[in-house]
Amino acid sequence: IGFGNYIKGAGYPTTAASIGQSGHEVVTVQMDPTGKVQAFVGVSPHGQGLKTTFAQVLADEIGISVEDVEILCGDTDAASDGTGTWGSRSVVAGGGALRLAGQGLRNKITRLAANLLEVPVEEVIVEGGYVLVQGKEEKIPVSRVAETAFSDTNALHGSLGHGLVCTRRFESAGPVYSNGAHMAI
């Protein structure tokens, strides 16, 4: 019987990465008029369930269903500033950028929804695919907010920049550590 225990660092910052490698990743997320979200990510999966993990991270951050998220990986035309898959950095760097981009997109959704519902933006919550107003029963589907963003150009002026699109860069501040154990008989 043999045991092997390990601790593994991943997601090193650029200052600690090897020459020619970087601890950053850039992600663009966009919502279409139906409320579906596409994420353009520079890292690519290779059998570890990365697309599923990324979809869950982004859906949780925005407040929508994981079924409404599509992850598009490795297309340098769409995610030209990412640094790709190497080492054990994909979830740390790619997931970090997805979280930031998801927060940015959710902020745009809440600002537009606040205008539609005529309430302060601080009272708007995105949860379960709906936009809710704190303390009220009123709610509207995120898809209605997305449709408005595309059909009512006046709703966008000054509040959303370039519509329901958000690009964010994540730079790792330091490695994260995972651990595990293997046993062989």
Side-chain angles (χ1 to χ4, degrees):
I1 298 174
F3 288 93
N5 300 309
Y6 67 91
I7 296 175
K8 169 77 171 95
Y12 289 89
T14 299
T15 55
S18 300
I19 294 173
Q21 298 177 341
S22 172
H24 87 274
E25 193 61 43
V26 178
V27 168
T28 297
V29 297
Q30 66 183 23
M31 182 173 277
D32 71 18
T34 68
K36 307 284 186 203
V37 174
Q38 291 183 319
F40 302 95
V41 184
V43 296
S44 295
H46 45 273
Q48 76 279 45
L50 192 62
K51 280 188 171 186
T52 301
T53 301
F54 280 174
Q56 290 170 336
V57 166
L58 190 55
D60 287 350
E61 205 58 55
I62 297 171
I64 60 174
S65 170
V66 72
E67 288 81 19
D68 290 335
V69 175
E70 180 182 15
I71 304 295
L72 302 164
C73 299
D75 182 348
T76 56
D77 285 336
S80 61
D81 195 30
T83 56
T85 300
W86 50 268
S88 301
R89 65 180 297 280
S90 296
V91 172
V92 176
L98 275 166
R99 282 193 65 237
L100 295 174
Q103 290 168 5
L105 185 59
R106 185 186 66 236
N107 289 339
K108 287 185 174 194
I109 293 166
T110 56
R111 287 199 319 258
L112 180 54
N115 289 341
L116 289 173
L117 297 168
E118 298 178 349
V119 297
V121 71
E122 298 81 24
E123 295 179 13
V124 176
I125 301 168
V126 182
E127 183 177 275
Y130 288 90
V131 176
L132 313 165
V133 179
Q134 289 179 354
K136 297 183 181 177
E137 292 183 24
E138 188 173 8
K139 68 179 182 179
I140 59 173
V142 169
S143 59
R144 180 170 160 216
V145 177
E147 181 183 351
T148 300
F150 284 85
S151 64
D152 182 1
T153 56
N154 291 327
L156 296 174
H157 289 295
S159 65
L160 297 180
H162 298 345
L164 295 179
V165 177
C166 188
T167 300
R168 292 291 185 269
R169 182 181 197 274
F170 174 84
E171 175 71 45
S172 178
V176 297
Y177 292 90
S178 61
N179 60 73
H182 296 275
M183 182 178 89
I185 298 175

